[in-house]
Amino acid sequence: MDIKKVLEQHEIWIYSNGESGEQADLSYANLRNSNLSYINLSDAKLRYADLRDANLREANLSDADLRGAQLSNADLSWTNLRVASLNNANFRNADMRCVDLRGADLREANLRDANLLAALLIEADLRNTDLRGANLLHANLRNVKLKDTYLPESTFIISDEKCFISICGDEVRVDLKVRSVRVDLRVHSVSEWRQFSKQDIVNMFGKNSFKLYSHILDIIDSYCGKGERPKWLKK
């Protein structure tokens, strides 16, 4: 198989909206140690491809079919895997810093010991996914689908009618579910959440948000152990 020709034809296929060129089908291909950084393989077929130790840094694999692919030790940092089919894929020990996995299907995927620092996992399907030992620090896990998911130690994901909270070690991320209030993700350590002033809370969540703050602390206490609260909140 002439990989260079396949990639060239795929690029033509993409930019012609399928009118010319040919969609890349690299299913079962041996691409181990390949340099595919910055390549556009969106919508490509890569089922069961061997991409172990491959360089896919900043590649575009959005909507690609990578079911059952082998990507252990691959470099996927800053790679676009948005809405990709990744179920049963093996990402063990992969470098996935800042990877875009929004809406991706990761059911039954192996992400053990993967580096997902600052990864975007919003609305990803993580059912039956193995994330043990993975680095999820600063990762955005909002609205992920979880069932029988193996999470890293000291990692918790909580969603209720008021907010979405992810706890990764000492880092706590809070996102409100109230659409009428524009709130960016708030990321602070456990100790910082327990020491905020009234003004800090108003600045973050607006007026009349002290009950919400108390609710957030209740959740932190449940998962991280009971701790001190600001004196003004006790009054």
Side-chain angles (χ1 to χ4, degrees):
M1 180 187 296
D2 187 340
I3 300 298
K4 185 177 180 181
K5 184 177 180 179
V6 171
L7 297 175
E8 288 174 350
Q9 286 297 306
H10 185 71
E11 187 172 11
I12 294 169
W13 179 81
I14 290 170
Y15 291 109
S16 67
N17 293 316
E19 293 183 5
S20 57
E22 187 176 353
Q23 182 183 18
D25 188 349
L26 293 164
S27 300
Y28 298 94
N30 182 0
L31 298 167
R32 191 169 185 176
N33 291 305
S34 296
N35 183 6
L36 298 170
S37 57
Y38 307 101
I39 293 293
N40 188 348
L41 278 168
S42 57
D43 291 293
K45 298 176 183 178
L46 290 146
R47 289 187 67 184
Y48 298 101
D50 187 350
L51 288 155
R52 288 174 289 176
D53 301 293
N55 180 5
L56 289 154
R57 183 181 176 88
E58 296 190 51
N60 184 357
L61 288 159
S62 58
D63 291 292
D65 186 353
L66 284 143
R67 287 174 289 175
Q70 294 296 317
L71 293 129
S72 57
N73 298 302
D75 185 351
L76 292 154
S77 53
W78 299 93
T79 301
N80 182 358
L81 283 163
R82 193 169 183 177
V83 202
S85 297
L86 305 168
N87 38 314
N88 291 297
N90 183 6
F91 294 94
R92 188 160 189 167
N93 290 312
D95 184 353
M96 302 177 78
R97 289 171 294 169
C98 301
V99 68
D100 188 347
L101 287 160
R102 286 176 288 179
D105 183 354
L106 285 152
R107 287 174 296 166
E108 299 185 34
N110 182 359
L111 287 141
R112 291 194 71 162
D113 302 310
N115 186 0
L116 286 151
L117 177 72
L120 288 175
L121 286 146
I122 300 167
E123 297 182 346
D125 193 339
L126 297 172
R127 289 175 290 179
N128 298 103
T129 303
D130 191 347
L131 285 156
R132 285 175 290 187
N135 178 12
L136 290 170
L137 192 65
H138 308 315
N140 191 334
L141 295 154
R142 191 175 74 242
N143 296 333
V144 293
K145 295 178 182 177
L146 297 172
K147 185 179 180 182
D148 298 322
T149 305
Y150 294 98
L151 291 170
E153 188 176 352
S154 302
T155 298
F156 310 97
I157 299 171
I158 308 100
S159 180
D160 60 23
E161 71 282 357
K162 294 181 180 179
C163 56
F164 177 90
I165 297 177
S166 61
I167 301 171
C168 299
D170 189 52
E171 178 186 89
V172 181
R173 301 170 67 95
V174 176
D175 186 21
L176 289 192
K177 288 187 174 180
V178 182
R179 292 186 178 181
S180 60
V181 181
R182 184 181 182 279
V183 181
D184 296 324
L185 278 168
R186 299 301 179 186
V187 186
H188 300 282
S189 68
V190 170
S191 60
E192 287 172 337
W193 276 109
R194 288 173 170 159
Q195 296 173 13
F196 286 130
S197 66
K198 281 186 179 181
Q199 193 57 52
D200 290 331
I201 299 306
V202 170
N203 291 341
M204 280 194 287
F205 301 121
K207 296 179 180 178
N208 304 316
S209 56
F210 301 139
K211 286 185 178 180
L212 171 64
Y213 177 47
S214 182
H215 176 67
I216 293 168
L217 291 180
D218 287 342
I219 292 173
I220 291 173
D221 285 349
S222 295
Y223 289 89
C224 301
K226 197 168 182 63
E228 285 295 314
R229 301 193 176 197
K231 291 181 179 179
W232 63 264
L233 194 60
K234 299 176 183 178
K235 295 179 182 179

